[in-house]
Amino acid sequence: MNPSSVRVLTGDRPTGRLHVGHYFGSLESRVRLQNEGAELYVVIADYQVLTDRDIAANLPGYVEELLLDYLAVGIDPERAVVFTHSAVPALNQLLLPFLSLVSVAELQRNPTVKDEIRHSSQAAVSGLMFTYPVHQAADILFCKANTVPVGRDQLPHLEITRTVARRFNERYARPGEPVFPEPEALLSAAPLLLGTDGGKMSKSRGNAIALAADADETARLIRGAKTDAERHISYEPERRPEVSSLVLLAALCTERDPAELAEEIGGGGAAALKQVVTAAVNERFSPVRARRAELARDRGFLREVLRRGNKEANVVADATLEQVRTVMDCVY
């Protein structure tokens, strides 16, 4: 694939610091795509956390923390457009016609929405949370992205986006002149990393190793990670998911084969495994942490990055909305 023909939309909700699962699952791919010449749009989805009162109360702080993680891992604001939902009105206006293209039943069946609802601290599900996949479709399609880096658990969301694009083109576009592409998934080669409790690693569930964690915090988190009763270390993801996830994390950090790494640790048991993982994580992310600390000293630079990114995103979103209104005969 010619990188210059690839337009990528990716992003995260500002609900906490990003973690090592984000890095190997998506961030590493984003930086690689950027460096190979793809157009990269990165959304900080601040509107999508308004249902969480604790986070919304300190939203500017969470947005800055997320931006720090992006810049520290290598996303370059000179080559990528980093923006916030709330600063791009035309993007959010696309949500209205897009909602008319999907049914309530289709949203109810979305497994990712079900998972978010199940882990939500809210007593009731808001319309914003329920329609999250369609809002994500607006994120992807406003810039006509044709590639989206995702984990396997996010594939149902992307399928909603593809459905919205296809139905919009069928209903409103001229034959042979589609308005929107049907974006393709770019799956990470890295299998899913588990959290320290053996569940899905998540910044909102307290089981993740944050990119910003210092060496001591990393060691503490890994010491408390769940393993199993077998002493001999092996890499068997199906039979020994917690142990295998730790082996995989160390292997990813050191760019080694996980089975070979597990064999080396062998009879050293969980204690030896956790020492290897701690050393690997701290060495791999030491430059990222140093860069992050340096960037955190200049908050004015962070605000300027967002100002420029929001300005660029608005130009693109305004043009897309104008095209949508034209093909829908909504220009009066």
Side-chain angles (χ1 to χ4, degrees):
M1 184 182 291
N2 179 5
S4 64
S5 69
V6 177
R7 177 172 286 190
V8 178
L9 185 285
T10 184
D12 302 274
R13 289 179 291 173
T15 56
R17 292 176 172 180
L18 298 181
H19 53 67
V20 294
H22 289 118
Y23 181 81
F24 291 113
S26 179
L27 293 173
E28 191 176 39
S29 292
R30 299 179 198 182
V31 175
R32 176 175 56 81
L33 287 163
Q34 166 196 274
N35 293 343
E36 289 179 357
E39 289 186 82
L40 182 65
Y41 286 76
V42 185
V43 58
I44 297 177
D46 56 340
Y47 269 172
Q48 285 297 337
V49 300
L50 297 182
T51 54
D52 190 313
R53 295 172 186 170
D54 293 336
I55 292 171
N58 187 32
L59 197 51
Y62 279 97
V63 168
E64 284 196 355
E65 289 296 315
L66 185 54
L67 181 57
L68 278 171
D69 284 334
Y70 286 159
L71 300 180
V73 300
I75 290 177
D76 182 356
E78 298 297 326
R79 293 182 288 170
V81 179
V82 185
F83 65 97
T84 56
H85 262 160
S86 58
V88 189
L91 181 160
N92 296 290
Q93 193 170 334
L94 290 173
L95 181 61
L96 297 177
F98 287 179
L99 281 171
S100 73
L101 299 170
V102 296
S103 69
V104 170
E106 286 173 317
L107 294 175
Q108 287 174 328
R109 289 195 298 267
N110 187 286
T112 314
V113 169
K114 290 180 181 179
D115 186 61
E116 290 295 335
I117 290 171
R118 187 165 56 251
H119 288 92
S120 171
S121 60
Q122 304 303 311
V125 178
S126 74
L128 181 63
M129 181 178 289
F130 188 68
T131 58
Y132 171 54
V134 186
H135 202 176
Q136 192 175 64
D139 296 339
I140 296 167
L141 297 178
F142 97 94
C143 63
K144 301 186 179 180
N146 55 24
T147 306
V148 184
V150 293
R152 291 191 180 276
D153 60 328
Q154 288 289 314
L155 285 175
H157 273 341
L158 185 59
E159 193 54 40
I160 289 283
T161 299
R162 290 170 56 82
T163 297
V164 167
R166 182 172 62 254
R167 289 177 183 172
F168 187 93
N169 292 334
E170 290 171 351
R171 185 174 296 185
Y172 298 111
R174 294 178 180 176
E177 298 179 17
V179 175
F180 295 113
E182 293 184 37
E184 299 290 340
L186 179 62
L187 285 171
S188 167
L192 184 67
L193 287 169
L194 299 180
T196 54
D197 59 357
K200 176 184 175 182
M201 188 178 291
S202 170
K203 58 182 182 290
S204 61
R205 297 176 192 173
N207 66 354
I209 303 166
L211 297 176
D214 62 25
D216 290 341
E217 184 181 359
T218 299
R220 177 182 60 79
L221 289 167
I222 294 173
R223 276 198 306 270
K226 183 179 179 181
T227 54
D228 59 35
E230 292 185 36
R231 178 167 180 80
H232 193 276
I233 300 302
S234 61
Y235 183 65
E236 301 174 76
E238 294 296 325
R239 191 175 72 87
R240 307 181 69 188
E242 296 92 353
V243 166
S244 296
S245 182
L246 287 172
V247 171
L248 176 62
L249 176 55
L252 289 168
C253 288
T254 56
E255 299 181 352
R256 294 190 58 192
D257 177 78
E260 291 180 1
L261 184 59
E263 187 175 352
E264 280 187 15
I265 299 169
L273 170 62
K274 291 178 179 182
Q275 289 175 357
V276 169
V277 177
T278 299
V281 171
N282 282 333
E283 182 175 356
R284 177 65 179 262
F285 291 104
S286 177
V288 172
R289 293 163 176 172
R291 173 66 173 154
R292 196 182 192 283
E294 179 185 350
L295 289 164
R297 290 194 285 268
D298 189 354
R299 299 285 169 164
F301 173 71
L302 299 180
R303 289 190 290 271
E304 176 61 17
V305 167
L306 283 182
R307 189 195 67 78
R308 286 190 283 123
N310 289 338
K311 183 177 180 180
E312 290 182 58
N314 270 289
V315 171
V316 174
D318 288 345
T320 299
L321 180 61
E322 184 64 25
Q323 184 183 14
V324 164
R325 293 176 65 234
T326 299
V327 299
M328 292 178 65
D329 289 332
C330 289
V331 179
Y332 311 111

